[in-house]
PDB file of all heavy atoms in Angstrom:
ATOM      1  N   LEU R   1      59.410 127.403  83.845  1.00  0.00           N
ATOM      2  CA  LEU R   1      58.338 127.164  84.808  1.00  0.00           C
ATOM      3  C   LEU R   1      57.307 128.274  84.700  1.00  0.00           C
ATOM      4  O   LEU R   1      57.603 129.436  84.980  1.00  0.00           O
ATOM      5  CB  LEU R   1      58.895 127.122  86.238  1.00  0.00           C
ATOM      6  CG  LEU R   1      59.905 126.027  86.562  1.00  0.00           C
ATOM      7  CD1 LEU R   1      60.356 126.148  88.015  1.00  0.00           C
ATOM      8  CD2 LEU R   1      59.315 124.648  86.313  1.00  0.00           C
ATOM      9  N   GLU R   2      56.097 127.929  84.308  1.00  0.00           N
ATOM     10  CA  GLU R   2      55.004 128.895  84.206  1.00  0.00           C
ATOM     11  C   GLU R   2      54.200 128.879  85.502  1.00  0.00           C
ATOM     12  O   GLU R   2      53.817 127.821  85.978  1.00  0.00           O
ATOM     13  CB  GLU R   2      54.084 128.540  83.037  1.00  0.00           C
ATOM     14  CG  GLU R   2      54.766 128.513  81.682  1.00  0.00           C
ATOM     15  CD  GLU R   2      53.823 128.014  80.597  1.00  0.00           C
ATOM     16  OE1 GLU R   2      52.609 128.281  80.685  1.00  0.00           O
ATOM     17  OE2 GLU R   2      54.314 127.346  79.677  1.00  0.00           O
ATOM     18  N   GLY R   3      53.943 130.075  86.045  1.00  0.00           N
ATOM     19  CA  GLY R   3      53.122 130.161  87.246  1.00  0.00           C
ATOM     20  C   GLY R   3      53.769 129.558  88.479  1.00  0.00           C
ATOM     21  O   GLY R   3      53.079 129.083  89.375  1.00  0.00           O
ATOM     22  N   ALA R   4      55.102 129.595  88.549  1.00  0.00           N
ATOM     23  CA  ALA R   4      55.809 129.028  89.700  1.00  0.00           C
ATOM     24  C   ALA R   4      55.743 129.988  90.882  1.00  0.00           C
ATOM     25  O   ALA R   4      55.800 131.203  90.715  1.00  0.00           O
ATOM     26  CB  ALA R   4      57.264 128.750  89.352  1.00  0.00           C
ATOM     27  N   VAL R   5      55.627 129.428  92.085  1.00  0.00           N
ATOM     28  CA  VAL R   5      55.651 130.223  93.314  1.00  0.00           C
ATOM     29  C   VAL R   5      56.707 129.630  94.235  1.00  0.00           C
ATOM     30  O   VAL R   5      56.710 128.424  94.487  1.00  0.00           O
ATOM     31  CB  VAL R   5      54.269 130.223  94.020  1.00  0.00           C
ATOM     32  CG1 VAL R   5      54.351 130.965  95.346  1.00  0.00           C
ATOM     33  CG2 VAL R   5      53.202 130.825  93.121  1.00  0.00           C
ATOM     34  N   PHE R   6      57.598 130.492  94.721  1.00  0.00           N
ATOM     35  CA  PHE R   6      58.616 130.126  95.703  1.00  0.00           C
ATOM     36  C   PHE R   6      58.292 130.915  96.959  1.00  0.00           C
ATOM     37  O   PHE R   6      58.380 132.145  96.956  1.00  0.00           O
ATOM     38  CB  PHE R   6      60.011 130.477  95.186  1.00  0.00           C
ATOM     39  CG  PHE R   6      60.398 129.776  93.908  1.00  0.00           C
ATOM     40  CD1 PHE R   6      60.015 130.282  92.678  1.00  0.00           C
ATOM     41  CD2 PHE R   6      61.150 128.617  93.945  1.00  0.00           C
ATOM     42  CE1 PHE R   6      60.368 129.643  91.491  1.00  0.00           C
ATOM     43  CE2 PHE R   6      61.512 127.967  92.771  1.00  0.00           C
ATOM     44  CZ  PHE R   6      61.119 128.479  91.542  1.00  0.00           C
ATOM     45  N   ARG R   7      57.916 130.250  98.033  1.00  0.00           N
ATOM     46  CA  ARG R   7      57.470 130.938  99.251  1.00  0.00           C
ATOM     47  C   ARG R   7      58.313 130.493 100.448  1.00  0.00           C
ATOM     48  O   ARG R   7      58.370 129.301 100.757  1.00  0.00           O
ATOM     49  CB  ARG R   7      55.995 130.632  99.493  1.00  0.00           C
ATOM     50  CG  ARG R   7      55.384 131.328 100.684  1.00  0.00           C
ATOM     51  CD  ARG R   7      53.883 131.037 100.769  1.00  0.00           C
ATOM     52  NE  ARG R   7      53.206 131.551  99.589  1.00  0.00           N
ATOM     53  CZ  ARG R   7      52.236 130.882  98.946  1.00  0.00           C
ATOM     54  NH1 ARG R   7      51.838 129.697  99.354  1.00  0.00           N
ATOM     55  NH2 ARG R   7      51.667 131.434  97.885  1.00  0.00           N
ATOM     56  N   ASP R   8      58.976 131.460 101.094  1.00  0.00           N
ATOM     57  CA  ASP R   8      59.779 131.180 102.295  1.00  0.00           C
ATOM     58  C   ASP R   8      60.833 130.100 102.033  1.00  0.00           C
ATOM     59  O   ASP R   8      61.015 129.183 102.837  1.00  0.00           O
ATOM     60  CB  ASP R   8      58.882 130.773 103.467  1.00  0.00           C
ATOM     61  CG  ASP R   8      57.892 131.869 103.839  1.00  0.00           C
ATOM     62  OD1 ASP R   8      58.340 133.009 104.045  1.00  0.00           O
ATOM     63  OD2 ASP R   8      56.682 131.585 103.893  1.00  0.00           O
ATOM     64  N   CYS R   9      61.524 130.211 100.905  1.00  0.00           N
ATOM     65  CA  CYS R   9      62.527 129.212 100.530  1.00  0.00           C
ATOM     66  C   CYS R   9      63.941 129.775 100.624  1.00  0.00           C
ATOM     67  O   CYS R   9      64.170 130.957 100.356  1.00  0.00           O
ATOM     68  CB  CYS R   9      62.298 128.734  99.097  1.00  0.00           C
ATOM     69  SG  CYS R   9      60.801 127.743  98.874  1.00  0.00           S
ATOM     70  N   LEU R  10      64.886 128.916 100.979  1.00  0.00           N
ATOM     71  CA  LEU R  10      66.300 129.248 100.914  1.00  0.00           C
ATOM     72  C   LEU R  10      66.783 128.852  99.520  1.00  0.00           C
ATOM     73  O   LEU R  10      66.827 127.664  99.187  1.00  0.00           O
ATOM     74  CB  LEU R  10      67.086 128.481 101.982  1.00  0.00           C
ATOM     75  CG  LEU R  10      68.609 128.625 101.905  1.00  0.00           C
ATOM     76  CD1 LEU R  10      69.033 130.071 102.113  1.00  0.00           C
ATOM     77  CD2 LEU R  10      69.287 127.705 102.896  1.00  0.00           C
ATOM     78  N   LEU R  11      67.108 129.859  98.698  1.00  0.00           N
ATOM     79  CA  LEU R  11      67.575 129.643  97.330  1.00  0.00           C
ATOM     80  C   LEU R  11      68.978 130.208  97.139  1.00  0.00           C
ATOM     81  O   LEU R  11      69.355 130.590  96.039  1.00  0.00           O
ATOM     82  CB  LEU R  11      66.605 130.300  96.344  1.00  0.00           C
ATOM     83  CG  LEU R  11      65.226 129.652  96.229  1.00  0.00           C
ATOM     84  CD1 LEU R  11      64.207 130.613  95.641  1.00  0.00           C
ATOM     85  CD2 LEU R  11      65.314 128.384  95.395  1.00  0.00           C
ATOM     86  N   ALA R  12      69.754 130.260  98.228  1.00  0.00           N
ATOM     87  CA  ALA R  12      71.108 130.808  98.150  1.00  0.00           C
ATOM     88  C   ALA R  12      71.931 130.026  97.130  1.00  0.00           C
ATOM     89  O   ALA R  12      71.879 128.804  97.072  1.00  0.00           O
ATOM     90  CB  ALA R  12      71.773 130.752  99.521  1.00  0.00           C
ATOM     91  N   GLN R  13      72.659 130.759  96.303  1.00  0.00           N
ATOM     92  CA  GLN R  13      73.531 130.210  95.266  1.00  0.00           C
ATOM     93  C   GLN R  13      72.780 129.325  94.268  1.00  0.00           C
ATOM     94  O   GLN R  13      73.366 128.440  93.640  1.00  0.00           O
ATOM     95  CB  GLN R  13      74.702 129.447  95.896  1.00  0.00           C
ATOM     96  CG  GLN R  13      75.578 130.327  96.758  1.00  0.00           C
ATOM     97  CD  GLN R  13      76.735 129.585  97.375  1.00  0.00           C
ATOM     98  OE1 GLN R  13      76.765 128.360  97.422  1.00  0.00           O
ATOM     99  NE2 GLN R  13      77.706 130.325  97.852  1.00  0.00           N
ATOM    100  N   ALA R  14      71.494 129.560  94.121  1.00  0.00           N
ATOM    101  CA  ALA R  14      70.719 128.827  93.109  1.00  0.00           C
ATOM    102  C   ALA R  14      71.161 129.265  91.716  1.00  0.00           C
ATOM    103  O   ALA R  14      71.537 130.418  91.508  1.00  0.00           O
ATOM    104  CB  ALA R  14      69.232 129.101  93.292  1.00  0.00           C
ATOM    105  N   ASP R  15      71.119 128.352  90.768  1.00  0.00           N
ATOM    106  CA  ASP R  15      71.471 128.661  89.384  1.00  0.00           C
ATOM    107  C   ASP R  15      70.185 128.775  88.570  1.00  0.00           C
ATOM    108  O   ASP R  15      69.557 127.765  88.234  1.00  0.00           O
ATOM    109  CB  ASP R  15      72.372 127.569  88.808  1.00  0.00           C
ATOM    110  CG  ASP R  15      72.855 127.894  87.396  1.00  0.00           C
ATOM    111  OD1 ASP R  15      72.426 128.930  86.832  1.00  0.00           O
ATOM    112  OD2 ASP R  15      73.651 127.113  86.852  1.00  0.00           O
ATOM    113  N   LEU R  16      69.796 130.022  88.284  1.00  0.00           N
ATOM    114  CA  LEU R  16      68.602 130.286  87.482  1.00  0.00           C
ATOM    115  C   LEU R  16      68.997 130.814  86.106  1.00  0.00           C
ATOM    116  O   LEU R  16      68.155 131.356  85.389  1.00  0.00           O
ATOM    117  CB  LEU R  16      67.698 131.311  88.194  1.00  0.00           C
ATOM    118  CG  LEU R  16      67.354 131.027  89.657  1.00  0.00           C
ATOM    119  CD1 LEU R  16      66.444 132.120  90.207  1.00  0.00           C
ATOM    120  CD2 LEU R  16      66.693 129.668  89.809  1.00  0.00           C
ATOM    121  N   SER R  17      70.250 130.642  85.721  1.00  0.00           N
ATOM    122  CA  SER R  17      70.715 131.182  84.453  1.00  0.00           C
ATOM    123  C   SER R  17      69.967 130.544  83.284  1.00  0.00           C
ATOM    124  O   SER R  17      69.669 129.357  83.295  1.00  0.00           O
ATOM    125  CB  SER R  17      72.226 130.979  84.297  1.00  0.00           C
ATOM    126  OG  SER R  17      72.561 129.615  84.383  1.00  0.00           O
ATOM    127  N   ASP R  18      69.615 131.390  82.322  1.00  0.00           N
ATOM    128  CA  ASP R  18      68.906 130.966  81.104  1.00  0.00           C
ATOM    129  C   ASP R  18      67.513 130.395  81.386  1.00  0.00           C
ATOM    130  O   ASP R  18      66.874 129.845  80.486  1.00  0.00           O
ATOM    131  CB  ASP R  18      69.719 129.943  80.303  1.00  0.00           C
ATOM    132  CG  ASP R  18      71.017 130.540  79.781  1.00  0.00           C
ATOM    133  OD1 ASP R  18      70.938 131.534  79.041  1.00  0.00           O
ATOM    134  OD2 ASP R  18      72.090 130.033  80.140  1.00  0.00           O
ATOM    135  N   ALA R  19      67.029 130.490  82.630  1.00  0.00           N
ATOM    136  CA  ALA R  19      65.695 129.969  82.955  1.00  0.00           C
ATOM    137  C   ALA R  19      64.621 130.948  82.494  1.00  0.00           C
ATOM    138  O   ALA R  19      64.826 132.158  82.466  1.00  0.00           O
ATOM    139  CB  ALA R  19      65.571 129.741  84.465  1.00  0.00           C
ATOM    140  N   ASP R  20      63.464 130.426  82.145  1.00  0.00           N
ATOM    141  CA  ASP R  20      62.296 131.245  81.815  1.00  0.00           C
ATOM    142  C   ASP R  20      61.344 131.166  83.003  1.00  0.00           C
ATOM    143  O   ASP R  20      60.647 130.168  83.192  1.00  0.00           O
ATOM    144  CB  ASP R  20      61.626 130.722  80.547  1.00  0.00           C
ATOM    145  CG  ASP R  20      60.495 131.633  80.066  1.00  0.00           C
ATOM    146  OD1 ASP R  20      60.017 132.468  80.864  1.00  0.00           O
ATOM    147  OD2 ASP R  20      60.092 131.496  78.896  1.00  0.00           O
ATOM    148  N   LEU R  21      61.374 132.206  83.835  1.00  0.00           N
ATOM    149  CA  LEU R  21      60.547 132.273  85.035  1.00  0.00           C
ATOM    150  C   LEU R  21      59.645 133.505  84.978  1.00  0.00           C
ATOM    151  O   LEU R  21      59.350 134.124  86.003  1.00  0.00           O
ATOM    152  CB  LEU R  21      61.440 132.309  86.283  1.00  0.00           C
ATOM    153  CG  LEU R  21      62.270 131.051  86.513  1.00  0.00           C
ATOM    154  CD1 LEU R  21      63.333 131.294  87.575  1.00  0.00           C
ATOM    155  CD2 LEU R  21      61.380 129.884  86.907  1.00  0.00           C
ATOM    156  N   ARG R  22      59.214 133.855  83.764  1.00  0.00           N
ATOM    157  CA  ARG R  22      58.334 135.017  83.625  1.00  0.00           C
ATOM    158  C   ARG R  22      57.063 134.807  84.439  1.00  0.00           C
ATOM    159  O   ARG R  22      56.451 133.745  84.379  1.00  0.00           O
ATOM    160  CB  ARG R  22      57.981 135.238  82.158  1.00  0.00           C
ATOM    161  CG  ARG R  22      59.161 135.755  81.346  1.00  0.00           C
ATOM    162  CD  ARG R  22      58.823 135.882  79.891  1.00  0.00           C
ATOM    163  NE  ARG R  22      58.745 134.534  79.292  1.00  0.00           N
ATOM    164  CZ  ARG R  22      58.439 134.306  78.025  1.00  0.00           C
ATOM    165  NH1 ARG R  22      58.159 135.316  77.221  1.00  0.00           N
ATOM    166  NH2 ARG R  22      58.402 133.078  77.570  1.00  0.00           N
ATOM    167  N   GLY R  23      56.717 135.839  85.229  1.00  0.00           N
ATOM    168  CA  GLY R  23      55.495 135.782  86.025  1.00  0.00           C
ATOM    169  C   GLY R  23      55.606 134.970  87.306  1.00  0.00           C
ATOM    170  O   GLY R  23      54.629 134.814  88.032  1.00  0.00           O
ATOM    171  N   ALA R  24      56.784 134.456  87.629  1.00  0.00           N
ATOM    172  CA  ALA R  24      56.951 133.684  88.868  1.00  0.00           C
ATOM    173  C   ALA R  24      56.842 134.608  90.071  1.00  0.00           C
ATOM    174  O   ALA R  24      57.013 135.821  89.963  1.00  0.00           O
ATOM    175  CB  ALA R  24      58.306 132.979  88.874  1.00  0.00           C
ATOM    176  N   ARG R  25      56.546 134.032  91.243  1.00  0.00           N
ATOM    177  CA  ARG R  25      56.502 134.791  92.500  1.00  0.00           C
ATOM    178  C   ARG R  25      57.546 134.234  93.456  1.00  0.00           C
ATOM    179  O   ARG R  25      57.600 133.022  93.668  1.00  0.00           O
ATOM    180  CB  ARG R  25      55.128 134.697  93.160  1.00  0.00           C
ATOM    181  CG  ARG R  25      54.026 135.413  92.415  1.00  0.00           C
ATOM    182  CD  ARG R  25      52.762 135.504  93.262  1.00  0.00           C
ATOM    183  NE  ARG R  25      52.982 136.260  94.487  1.00  0.00           N
ATOM    184  CZ  ARG R  25      52.900 137.586  94.582  1.00  0.00           C
ATOM    185  NH1 ARG R  25      52.616 138.300  93.507  1.00  0.00           N
ATOM    186  NH2 ARG R  25      53.093 138.192  95.740  1.00  0.00           N
ATOM    187  N   PHE R  26      58.356 135.134  93.999  1.00  0.00           N
ATOM    188  CA  PHE R  26      59.336 134.801  95.021  1.00  0.00           C
ATOM    189  C   PHE R  26      58.935 135.574  96.271  1.00  0.00           C
ATOM    190  O   PHE R  26      59.044 136.804  96.291  1.00  0.00           O
ATOM    191  CB  PHE R  26      60.749 135.193  94.574  1.00  0.00           C
ATOM    192  CG  PHE R  26      61.252 134.426  93.381  1.00  0.00           C
ATOM    193  CD1 PHE R  26      60.933 134.825  92.090  1.00  0.00           C
ATOM    194  CD2 PHE R  26      62.050 133.307  93.557  1.00  0.00           C
ATOM    195  CE1 PHE R  26      61.404 134.126  90.988  1.00  0.00           C
ATOM    196  CE2 PHE R  26      62.522 132.597  92.454  1.00  0.00           C
ATOM    197  CZ  PHE R  26      62.204 133.005  91.171  1.00  0.00           C
ATOM    198  N   GLU R  27      58.423 134.899  97.275  1.00  0.00           N
ATOM    199  CA  GLU R  27      57.928 135.555  98.476  1.00  0.00           C
ATOM    200  C   GLU R  27      58.814 135.185  99.668  1.00  0.00           C
ATOM    201  O   GLU R  27      58.905 134.014 100.040  1.00  0.00           O
ATOM    202  CB  GLU R  27      56.484 135.121  98.751  1.00  0.00           C
ATOM    203  CG  GLU R  27      55.542 135.437  97.600  1.00  0.00           C
ATOM    204  CD  GLU R  27      54.168 134.799  97.761  1.00  0.00           C
ATOM    205  OE1 GLU R  27      53.941 134.096  98.774  1.00  0.00           O
ATOM    206  OE2 GLU R  27      53.328 135.002  96.862  1.00  0.00           O
ATOM    207  N   ARG R  28      59.472 136.195 100.249  1.00  0.00           N
ATOM    208  CA  ARG R  28      60.300 136.015 101.446  1.00  0.00           C
ATOM    209  C   ARG R  28      61.357 134.926 101.257  1.00  0.00           C
ATOM    210  O   ARG R  28      61.596 134.107 102.131  1.00  0.00           O
ATOM    211  CB  ARG R  28      59.434 135.726 102.679  1.00  0.00           C
ATOM    212  CG  ARG R  28      58.449 136.836 103.010  1.00  0.00           C
ATOM    213  CD  ARG R  28      57.500 136.451 104.115  1.00  0.00           C
ATOM    214  NE  ARG R  28      56.736 135.238 103.827  1.00  0.00           N
ATOM    215  CZ  ARG R  28      55.652 135.190 103.053  1.00  0.00           C
ATOM    216  NH1 ARG R  28      55.193 136.295 102.479  1.00  0.00           N
ATOM    217  NH2 ARG R  28      55.017 134.053 102.844  1.00  0.00           N
ATOM    218  N   CYS R  29      61.987 134.918 100.097  1.00  0.00           N
ATOM    219  CA  CYS R  29      63.019 133.918  99.798  1.00  0.00           C
ATOM    220  C   CYS R  29      64.411 134.518  99.955  1.00  0.00           C
ATOM    221  O   CYS R  29      64.603 135.717  99.781  1.00  0.00           O
ATOM    222  CB  CYS R  29      62.858 133.402  98.364  1.00  0.00           C
ATOM    223  SG  CYS R  29      61.359 132.427  98.123  1.00  0.00           S
ATOM    224  N   ASP R  30      65.372 133.684 100.269  1.00  0.00           N
ATOM    225  CA  ASP R  30      66.772 134.085 100.358  1.00  0.00           C
ATOM    226  C   ASP R  30      67.458 133.669  99.061  1.00  0.00           C
ATOM    227  O   ASP R  30      67.702 132.482  98.833  1.00  0.00           O
ATOM    228  CB  ASP R  30      67.429 133.417 101.565  1.00  0.00           C
ATOM    229  CG  ASP R  30      68.881 133.860 101.764  1.00  0.00           C
ATOM    230  OD1 ASP R  30      69.462 134.468 100.831  1.00  0.00           O
ATOM    231  OD2 ASP R  30      69.426 133.588 102.840  1.00  0.00           O
ATOM    232  N   LEU R  31      67.742 134.655  98.206  1.00  0.00           N
ATOM    233  CA  LEU R  31      68.396 134.415  96.923  1.00  0.00           C
ATOM    234  C   LEU R  31      69.841 134.926  96.939  1.00  0.00           C
ATOM    235  O   LEU R  31      70.392 135.292  95.895  1.00  0.00           O
ATOM    236  CB  LEU R  31      67.614 135.098  95.804  1.00  0.00           C
ATOM    237  CG  LEU R  31      66.292 134.413  95.445  1.00  0.00           C
ATOM    238  CD1 LEU R  31      65.194 135.414  95.216  1.00  0.00           C
ATOM    239  CD2 LEU R  31      66.469 133.519  94.252  1.00  0.00           C
ATOM    240  N   THR R  32      70.460 134.933  98.106  1.00  0.00           N
ATOM    241  CA  THR R  32      71.834 135.411  98.240  1.00  0.00           C
ATOM    242  C   THR R  32      72.758 134.687  97.258  1.00  0.00           C
ATOM    243  O   THR R  32      72.761 133.456  97.190  1.00  0.00           O
ATOM    244  CB  THR R  32      72.333 135.196  99.687  1.00  0.00           C
ATOM    245  OG1 THR R  32      71.461 135.890 100.579  1.00  0.00           O
ATOM    246  CG2 THR R  32      73.746 135.710  99.862  1.00  0.00           C
ATOM    247  N   GLU R  33      73.494 135.468  96.482  1.00  0.00           N
ATOM    248  CA  GLU R  33      74.483 134.963  95.517  1.00  0.00           C
ATOM    249  C   GLU R  33      73.878 134.039  94.455  1.00  0.00           C
ATOM    250  O   GLU R  33      74.572 133.185  93.892  1.00  0.00           O
ATOM    251  CB  GLU R  33      75.642 134.281  96.239  1.00  0.00           C
ATOM    252  CG  GLU R  33      76.442 135.229  97.110  1.00  0.00           C
ATOM    253  CD  GLU R  33      77.655 134.587  97.740  1.00  0.00           C
ATOM    254  OE1 GLU R  33      78.037 133.473  97.329  1.00  0.00           O
ATOM    255  OE2 GLU R  33      78.217 135.208  98.645  1.00  0.00           O
ATOM    256  N   ALA R  34      72.597 134.194  94.162  1.00  0.00           N
ATOM    257  CA  ALA R  34      71.982 133.401  93.087  1.00  0.00           C
ATOM    258  C   ALA R  34      72.507 133.871  91.732  1.00  0.00           C
ATOM    259  O   ALA R  34      72.876 135.034  91.554  1.00  0.00           O
ATOM    260  CB  ALA R  34      70.466 133.522  93.145  1.00  0.00           C
ATOM    261  N   GLU R  35      72.535 132.965  90.775  1.00  0.00           N
ATOM    262  CA  GLU R  35      72.986 133.249  89.411  1.00  0.00           C
ATOM    263  C   GLU R  35      71.758 133.473  88.523  1.00  0.00           C
ATOM    264  O   GLU R  35      70.932 132.573  88.368  1.00  0.00           O
ATOM    265  CB  GLU R  35      73.801 132.075  88.883  1.00  0.00           C
ATOM    266  CG  GLU R  35      74.256 132.215  87.449  1.00  0.00           C
ATOM    267  CD  GLU R  35      75.176 133.403  87.250  1.00  0.00           C
ATOM    268  OE1 GLU R  35      76.311 133.366  87.743  1.00  0.00           O
ATOM    269  OE2 GLU R  35      74.735 134.364  86.567  1.00  0.00           O
ATOM    270  N   LEU R  36      71.644 134.691  87.969  1.00  0.00           N
ATOM    271  CA  LEU R  36      70.484 135.035  87.140  1.00  0.00           C
ATOM    272  C   LEU R  36      70.842 135.311  85.684  1.00  0.00           C
ATOM    273  O   LEU R  36      69.952 135.661  84.906  1.00  0.00           O
ATOM    274  CB  LEU R  36      69.791 136.289  87.702  1.00  0.00           C
ATOM    275  CG  LEU R  36      69.291 136.250  89.140  1.00  0.00           C
ATOM    276  CD1 LEU R  36      68.606 137.563  89.488  1.00  0.00           C
ATOM    277  CD2 LEU R  36      68.338 135.095  89.350  1.00  0.00           C
ATOM    278  N   ARG R  37      72.079 135.177  85.292  1.00  0.00           N
ATOM    279  CA  ARG R  37      72.478 135.587  83.937  1.00  0.00           C
ATOM    280  C   ARG R  37      71.578 134.956  82.867  1.00  0.00           C
ATOM    281  O   ARG R  37      71.360 133.762  82.844  1.00  0.00           O
ATOM    282  CB  ARG R  37      73.928 135.196  83.673  1.00  0.00           C
ATOM    283  CG  ARG R  37      74.902 135.979  84.530  1.00  0.00           C
ATOM    284  CD  ARG R  37      76.351 135.678  84.196  1.00  0.00           C
ATOM    285  NE  ARG R  37      77.224 135.921  85.320  1.00  0.00           N
ATOM    286  CZ  ARG R  37      77.554 137.123  85.782  1.00  0.00           C
ATOM    287  NH1 ARG R  37      77.067 138.183  85.194  1.00  0.00           N
ATOM    288  NH2 ARG R  37      78.357 137.253  86.832  1.00  0.00           N
ATOM    289  N   ASN R  38      71.086 135.862  82.006  1.00  0.00           N
ATOM    290  CA  ASN R  38      70.232 135.486  80.871  1.00  0.00           C
ATOM    291  C   ASN R  38      68.897 134.857  81.271  1.00  0.00           C
ATOM    292  O   ASN R  38      68.215 134.266  80.433  1.00  0.00           O
ATOM    293  CB  ASN R  38      70.965 134.552  79.908  1.00  0.00           C
ATOM    294  CG  ASN R  38      72.237 135.180  79.361  1.00  0.00           C
ATOM    295  OD1 ASN R  38      72.233 136.350  78.979  1.00  0.00           O
ATOM    296  ND2 ASN R  38      73.320 134.435  79.350  1.00  0.00           N
ATOM    297  N   ALA R  39      68.508 134.969  82.543  1.00  0.00           N
ATOM    298  CA  ALA R  39      67.179 134.483  82.941  1.00  0.00           C
ATOM    299  C   ALA R  39      66.117 135.430  82.405  1.00  0.00           C
ATOM    300  O   ALA R  39      66.355 136.620  82.230  1.00  0.00           O
ATOM    301  CB  ALA R  39      67.086 134.399  84.463  1.00  0.00           C
ATOM    302  N   ARG R  40      64.925 134.899  82.138  1.00  0.00           N
ATOM    303  CA  ARG R  40      63.783 135.713  81.710  1.00  0.00           C
ATOM    304  C   ARG R  40      62.859 135.852  82.906  1.00  0.00           C
ATOM    305  O   ARG R  40      62.259 134.874  83.348  1.00  0.00           O
ATOM    306  CB  ARG R  40      63.079 135.047  80.538  1.00  0.00           C
ATOM    307  CG  ARG R  40      64.051 134.895  79.367  1.00  0.00           C
ATOM    308  CD  ARG R  40      63.399 134.762  78.042  1.00  0.00           C
ATOM    309  NE  ARG R  40      62.476 135.828  77.761  1.00  0.00           N
ATOM    310  CZ  ARG R  40      61.586 135.782  76.778  1.00  0.00           C
ATOM    311  NH1 ARG R  40      61.521 134.719  76.013  1.00  0.00           N
ATOM    312  NH2 ARG R  40      60.773 136.776  76.558  1.00  0.00           N
ATOM    313  N   LEU R  41      62.786 137.068  83.447  1.00  0.00           N
ATOM    314  CA  LEU R  41      62.049 137.314  84.683  1.00  0.00           C
ATOM    315  C   LEU R  41      61.017 138.432  84.539  1.00  0.00           C
ATOM    316  O   LEU R  41      60.572 138.995  85.531  1.00  0.00           O
ATOM    317  CB  LEU R  41      63.040 137.650  85.806  1.00  0.00           C
ATOM    318  CG  LEU R  41      63.979 136.506  86.200  1.00  0.00           C
ATOM    319  CD1 LEU R  41      65.151 137.027  87.022  1.00  0.00           C
ATOM    320  CD2 LEU R  41      63.213 135.436  86.968  1.00  0.00           C
ATOM    321  N   GLU R  42      60.613 138.733  83.306  1.00  0.00           N
ATOM    322  CA  GLU R  42      59.623 139.783  83.108  1.00  0.00           C
ATOM    323  C   GLU R  42      58.332 139.434  83.853  1.00  0.00           C
ATOM    324  O   GLU R  42      57.826 138.323  83.758  1.00  0.00           O
ATOM    325  CB  GLU R  42      59.297 139.970  81.615  1.00  0.00           C
ATOM    326  CG  GLU R  42      60.472 140.437  80.767  1.00  0.00           C
ATOM    327  CD  GLU R  42      61.282 139.288  80.195  1.00  0.00           C
ATOM    328  OE1 GLU R  42      61.117 138.131  80.645  1.00  0.00           O
ATOM    329  OE2 GLU R  42      62.099 139.541  79.295  1.00  0.00           O
TER     330      GLU R  42
END
């Protein structure tokens, strides 16, 4: 996802593994216990 914005979202236990989210914005989100292994988040 290029240019993705997540604003005020509940993302608990989300699976973002191996995702390419470079340049994404996460604003006031709940990412409790999210899976990020091998995600690209530069």
